[in-house]
Amino acid sequence: MPSIETLVTARLSLRSLGLTDADFIYALVNEPDWLTYIGDKGVHNLEDAIRYIQTGPHAMYRQHGFGLMVVETLSEQRPIGLCGLLQRDNLSMPDLGFAFLAQARGQGYALEAAKAVIDNMFEKTSVLLLAAITTKNNQPSMALLAKLGFVFKSLHHMDEKDAGSNLFELSKADWLKTP
């Protein structure tokens, strides 16, 4: 399995996805908010979850050295979400992605995890600009991106069938200015 550097914050650990995370992935990608805001990834059983891990995060780790990471609480060492960077074919910069189980929302975990991912990317690479994409009506994600300093740039079409998603950007210079 390809792996990436583990990140640790005050309450969380962010690590590479492993095949043993298939149960967690199955649960997460079938949550109503995932299906509404991200879409159906065709993960309908544990074999599909393993395929998703192998063809998604593991492929991204191998190709780019980064990808979505499992977010676990340090206190209970249980997975509560995903957070990390993706490199989409139709974007020139890495894209911050995150999704959390319903019971883990509203506790600041997504903000804490995203800050760790952004800090790590800007400190250890030459990347100067990050993107983030949300559906037009995903208010919780847009609020998180605003807290992180992302600025709305334009409507972005992920493919020819996409009605358009919100494209946000965060520069390294602006990130370094935030307290």
Side-chain angles (χ1 to χ4, degrees):
M1 167 190 84
S3 66
I4 52 178
E5 176 184 2
T6 297
L7 305 176
V8 178
T9 69
R11 302 181 298 161
L12 305 171
S13 173
L14 288 78
R15 62 165 174 80
S16 301
L17 267 157
L19 298 182
T20 57
D21 294 308
D23 285 331
F24 165 69
I25 290 299
Y26 174 75
L28 181 65
V29 304
N30 285 293
E31 284 215 341
D33 280 358
W34 179 292
L35 295 169
T36 298
Y37 297 124
I38 298 171
D40 187 346
K41 298 296 183 186
V43 177
H44 304 294
N45 55 50
L46 291 181
E47 290 156 359
D48 291 341
I50 289 169
R51 176 194 40 77
Y52 172 85
I53 293 167
Q54 291 172 324
T55 61
H58 284 187
M60 190 78 53
Y61 301 162
R62 280 190 301 275
Q63 188 170 2
H64 299 288
F66 56 77
L68 291 173
M69 304 169 76
V70 174
V71 179
E72 294 180 320
T73 58
L74 288 175
S75 60
E76 298 173 10
Q77 297 182 340
R78 67 177 170 85
I80 59 169
L82 294 176
C83 187
L85 296 167
L86 304 130
Q87 185 62 61
R88 298 180 193 268
D89 292 340
N90 61 1
L91 286 176
S92 61
M93 66 202 90
D95 168 21
L96 177 70
F98 49 86
F100 284 77
L101 294 169
Q103 67 263 30
R105 294 185 207 134
Q107 300 173 57
Y109 292 136
L111 181 65
E112 188 174 329
K115 283 181 175 180
V117 168
I118 295 166
D119 274 341
N120 188 62
M121 179 56 86
F122 283 148
E123 284 176 16
K124 297 193 174 165
T125 73
S126 61
V127 170
L128 299 176
L129 193 63
L130 292 177
I133 302 269
T134 70
T135 57
K136 294 178 194 176
N137 61 347
N138 188 342
Q139 295 299 326
S141 289
M142 288 186 273
L144 175 61
L145 294 174
K147 287 180 188 175
L148 291 165
F150 280 83
V151 176
F152 175 80
K153 286 299 177 184
S154 65
L155 204 57
H156 180 77
H157 297 275
M158 300 301 286
D159 58 42
E160 58 278 347
K161 294 180 275 183
D162 181 29
S165 300
N166 296 317
L167 173 64
F168 297 85
E169 292 180 358
L170 174 66
S171 72
K172 182 176 183 175
D174 286 342
W175 179 252
L176 294 176
K177 289 182 209 171
T178 59

